[in-house]
Amino acid sequence: MKIIKAKDYQDMSRKAANIISAQIIMKPDCVLGLATGSTPIETYDQLIDWYKKGDLDFSQVSSVNLDEYRGLSHTDPQSYYYFMHEHLFKHVNIREEATFVPDGTNPDAEAACAAHEEIIKKLGGIDLQLLGLGNNGHIGFNEPSEAFEKETHCVDLTESTIQANSRFFDSIDQVPTQAYTMGIKSIMMAKKILIVANGEGKADIVARAFWGPVTPDVPASILQMHPNVTVVCDEAALSKAPIK
Ligand code: GLP
């Protein structure tokens, strides 16, 4: 596990974008695993900027997203489909048909999840998976539980996640209670993983996830077992980690 300490959010975002950009340059037809949430927004902004300057080309890139709320339409501004288009896809030359977000509009959870898993397999697996970190240690929407869930599946969101994500909705009752998410196995199968976290609010969970025991109670802790993980955090998020 490689830990990279960034000065602040902007520095974290630039470092993360540099790693993604290197992946695209080294393998122009790579498969990127993408994440939503507030943390990667500036990383995407930076990639867009480099694309506009002619330094990056997404024309051969494919992407698969980690997760999606169950039941939100593509035009719902809270859906992750919408988020990805707003924050990245519509600003770069990635082909629409090469972008895949789990289909939250499909009420058949089993079919929607199996289809997403099939897409990852057809693409030949994920070259670089970008992850954010939930306040309770979740990755994608893999919530703390008694066992690590394997492939893409439907989850009941925990109270703490519904609470945390309610900041994006008008009221807490509008936050969906379920989501489709890639499982821990789907994430761990990625060749490389890049996880980003910033701010003091993440300091406790960063220390538990990367320096604590590996346990399904802190889903991100499983990343300690992956052979190629890069953690990019700002100083605040690393303030409780046992490092200088
Ligand atoms: C959501 C997403 C996660 C994300 C997490 C952290 O619940 N499903 O993929 O990593 O929130 O979000 P933020 O980056 O806003 O702290």
Side-chain angles (χ1 to χ4, degrees):
M1 194 169 246
K2 187 163 180 57
I3 310 288
I4 298 180
K5 193 187 223 177
K7 263 201 318 285
D8 50 24
Y9 178 61
Q10 196 190 12
D11 189 31
M12 179 210 79
S13 305
R14 286 175 66 90
K15 286 183 160 65
N18 263 302
I19 293 168
I20 298 170
S21 155
Q23 173 66 61
I24 300 171
I25 293 167
M26 298 297 281
K27 187 177 176 194
D29 61 348
C30 65
V31 179
L32 297 178
L34 298 177
T36 54
S38 49
T39 314
I41 290 180
E42 246 185 71
T43 302
Y44 293 144
D45 286 348
Q46 182 62 72
L47 293 174
I48 294 165
D49 190 45
W50 286 332
Y51 163 73
K52 288 190 173 150
K53 288 183 173 137
D55 290 337
L56 267 184
D57 175 17
F58 289 80
S59 63
Q60 296 178 63
V61 172
S62 304
S63 72
V64 278
N65 262 76
L66 275 172
D67 50 8
E68 176 60 288
Y69 288 115
R70 185 183 190 189
L72 296 191
S73 73
H74 289 168
T75 51
D76 189 317
Q78 303 308 335
S79 74
Y80 289 167
Y81 177 96
Y82 189 94
F83 176 103
M84 286 313 303
H85 283 77
E86 280 306 298
H87 289 288
L88 183 65
F89 299 157
K90 77 176 191 191
H91 305 286
V92 298
N93 65 338
I94 195 163
R95 289 165 304 130
E96 166 73 28
E97 64 276 18
T99 66
F100 303 94
V101 179
D103 186 6
T105 67
N106 185 350
D108 183 343
E110 226 170 279
C113 294
H116 197 63
E117 205 59 44
E118 195 48 40
I119 287 164
I120 300 171
K121 281 193 193 109
K122 273 212 180 111
L123 289 171
I126 296 166
D127 289 298
L128 176 65
Q129 175 67 57
L130 173 65
L131 296 173
L133 179 65
N135 290 325
N136 60 4
H138 71 227
I139 44 177
F141 266 133
N142 289 277
E143 296 281 36
S145 67
E146 276 153 29
F148 290 113
E149 281 278 354
K150 298 185 188 88
E151 302 199 321
T152 306
H153 60 288
C154 181
V155 278
D156 294 326
L157 302 179
T158 60
E159 250 344 282
S160 90
T161 297
I162 293 174
Q163 187 69 47
N165 289 4
S166 67
R167 68 190 196 277
F168 301 113
F169 292 79
D170 290 336
S171 79
I172 193 158
D173 334 318
Q174 289 175 13
V175 187
T177 54
Q178 289 189 311
Y180 300 153
T181 181
M182 270 164 56
I184 293 295
K185 182 176 161 202
S186 344
I187 295 171
M188 289 296 277
M189 296 279 285
K191 294 182 188 89
K192 280 172 268 171
I193 292 180
L194 167 63
I195 180 158
V196 286
N198 72 290
E200 232 182 284
K202 293 278 170 76
D204 274 318
I205 198 65
V206 163
R208 284 179 67 204
F210 307 125
W211 284 271
V214 175
T215 160
D217 196 36
V218 182
S221 65
I222 191 77
L223 299 175
Q224 295 179 40
M225 316 288 286
H226 190 283
N228 195 333
V229 176
T230 306
V231 181
V232 184
C233 289
D234 69 352
E235 284 173 7
L238 282 173
S239 60
K240 296 195 175 161
I243 53 162
K244 280 191 195 153

